[in-house]
Amino acid sequence: MTTRLQLDLAERIMDLIRSDGLGAGSRLNESDIARRLNVSRTPVRGALDHLASVGIAKRNPHRGIELVDLDPPLTAPAGDDDTIETAMVRLAHDRESGQLADEVSEQEVMRRYGLSRQPAQQLLRRLAELEMMERKPGYGWRFLAPPRDPRAHAERYRFRLLIEPMGFLEPDFALAESWIEAMRRDHRQTLSRPWREGSAIGFFEMNAAFHEGLAAGSGNRFIHSAVKRLNQLRRLSNYDWSFGYERVEVNCREHLAMLDAVQAGDLRQAGVLMRSHLERASRLR
C-alpha cells in the first residue's frame, strides 16, 4: 500500500523528471534521486515502486528503473493509510508520554490501536524505515530513541540556533530553483488541506525536508549531518502534535518567508528569519 509520504515523494520525483526533460526510455538512478531530494534511499525506493505500480516506470532486472509513460495520474493512497497514520500518531503520543516501554510486541500494537495484523505490521515497518524502531532478533520491536526529555528539547534548540541560521552564510550556500519550487508547492498544499489527526506525520516530514534541504544547501556536510540527526531524534515527539493548526500555518508562512529572502539574494535576512523561527518553536512544549 502506498503511503501519503511516498506519494508526496513520487510527486517530487516527477518534478525532477520534468525539469530534466526526461522521456520514455530514460533511466532513473535511485541514489542520485535520494541525493538531489536530500532523503534516504529507502523512501525513494518506495516512491519509485509506486511510480512502477501506476505505469510511469518499470523495474528491469539488468537495466534498473526505466521511464515508460508520463501520463498516468499519481493516484491517492488507499484509504486504509489514514487508519495507519492515525494509529502512528497515537503510538507517538503514548511513547512520548511514557505509556509505551522501550520494547513492544506486534500483538500489543494490534490490541492498543485496534489494528489487524497486516496494518500493524505495516505501521511497524514504516517506523523501521524511518529509523524510529528496529526489529529485535527473534521477537518484538525496540524504539531507537528515548521518550521526550524536557532538557533535551532545550538543548536541541540551542544547538539548532547555533548552526541553522549560520548555514545561510556559508561561502558555498546554494539552492536549486527546482527544490525551492517543490518546497513552495508542498507548503501551499499543506495550507490548503483539511487538518486531521494523522496530518501531523506529513507535516513533520515536509518540515524536516525543508530544514535538511537548507542544511544541504549550505554546502557544509557537518551542518547537513547534524540537522538530519536532530530531525531523526525529534520525529516521534513531533508526530505527537498538540499545537493545533494555527501553529502549522505560522510554520509554513515562516518557511515561505525564508525562501523569499533566499530568492531575493538576502541570505543574511534569511538567517535572521531562521533564528526567529527557531526561537518561537523552542518555546512550544
Side-chain angles (χ1 to χ4, degrees):
M1 178 172 59
T2 305
T3 69
R4 182 170 290 107
L5 297 180
Q6 289 170 341
L7 189 68
D8 289 344
L9 190 54
E11 291 174 343
R12 293 176 64 191
I13 292 172
M14 290 301 298
D15 287 340
L16 287 181
I17 289 170
R18 296 186 186 101
S19 66
D20 290 347
L22 302 181
S26 299
R27 297 181 189 179
L28 302 178
N29 184 285
E30 191 177 283
S31 298
D32 181 59
I33 291 171
R35 177 185 59 79
R36 293 175 68 184
L37 296 180
N38 299 308
V39 296
S40 67
R41 291 178 61 178
T42 298
V44 168
R45 189 174 302 120
L48 290 172
D49 286 342
H50 174 65
L51 294 182
S53 72
V54 297
I56 290 176
K58 67 177 180 180
R59 289 187 179 274
N60 293 317
H62 304 294
R63 300 186 60 192
I65 306 160
E66 181 181 342
L67 276 177
V68 178
D69 184 358
L70 302 184
D71 290 335
L74 293 177
T75 55
D80 286 347
D81 192 52
D82 288 337
T83 300
I84 295 175
E85 291 194 347
T86 298
M88 194 180 295
V89 169
R90 292 173 180 168
L91 178 146
H93 173 76
D94 290 347
R95 173 61 175 168
E96 293 300 297
S97 61
Q99 298 178 53
L100 278 180
D102 291 343
E103 299 179 359
V104 297
S105 68
E106 185 178 297
Q107 288 74 19
E108 182 179 1
V109 171
M110 292 168 60
R111 174 184 55 78
R112 184 181 283 269
Y113 305 110
L115 299 173
S116 61
R117 186 171 302 279
Q118 184 177 9
Q121 291 173 340
Q122 290 174 334
L123 185 154
L124 290 166
R125 282 198 300 268
R126 285 175 60 180
L127 292 173
E129 288 174 359
L130 293 166
E131 299 179 2
M132 297 158 72
M133 298 187 80
E134 66 179 2
R135 187 189 291 273
K136 293 172 56 185
Y139 179 79
W141 295 77
R142 179 187 297 115
F143 285 100
L144 294 177
R148 180 178 293 150
D149 179 349
R151 291 180 304 171
H153 173 90
E155 290 171 2
R156 185 181 303 131
Y157 272 98
R158 286 199 297 272
F159 181 69
R160 293 182 70 187
L161 282 163
L162 287 174
I163 64 170
E164 290 197 60
M166 297 305 296
F168 292 101
L169 302 183
E170 284 292 288
D172 295 327
F173 182 88
L175 293 176
E177 286 296 319
S178 59
W179 182 87
I180 293 175
E181 292 311 310
M183 278 291 113
R184 287 190 182 280
R185 184 205 64 214
D186 290 349
H187 282 68
R188 288 194 294 266
Q189 288 178 348
T190 296
L191 290 171
S192 66
R193 290 172 181 158
W195 184 260
R196 298 186 296 271
E197 187 174 9
S199 299
I201 295 174
F203 171 64
F204 172 78
E205 296 301 335
M206 179 196 72
N207 181 75
F210 177 83
H211 285 273
E212 288 177 23
L214 291 179
S218 73
N220 186 317
R221 73 192 73 176
F222 298 103
I223 292 177
H224 187 206
S225 176
V227 171
K228 287 176 67 175
R229 178 58 178 159
L230 287 168
N231 280 336
Q232 186 61 37
L233 290 173
R234 67 193 186 97
R235 185 169 259 109
L236 265 185
S237 63
N238 277 260
Y239 281 8
D240 181 24
W241 185 257
S242 58
F243 308 112
Y245 182 66
E246 182 180 356
R247 176 57 202 167
V248 173
E249 291 182 305
V250 170
N251 182 287
C252 287
R253 300 195 189 288
E254 289 176 349
H255 283 186
L256 292 171
M258 283 181 245
L259 294 180
D260 289 341
V262 169
Q263 289 190 300
D266 194 345
L267 298 181
R268 190 170 296 279
Q269 175 63 13
V272 169
L273 292 172
M274 175 64 83
R275 174 169 291 279
S276 174
H277 172 70
L278 293 174
E279 286 175 342
R280 187 175 289 107
S282 71
R283 293 192 288 270
L284 297 176
R285 292 289 189 273

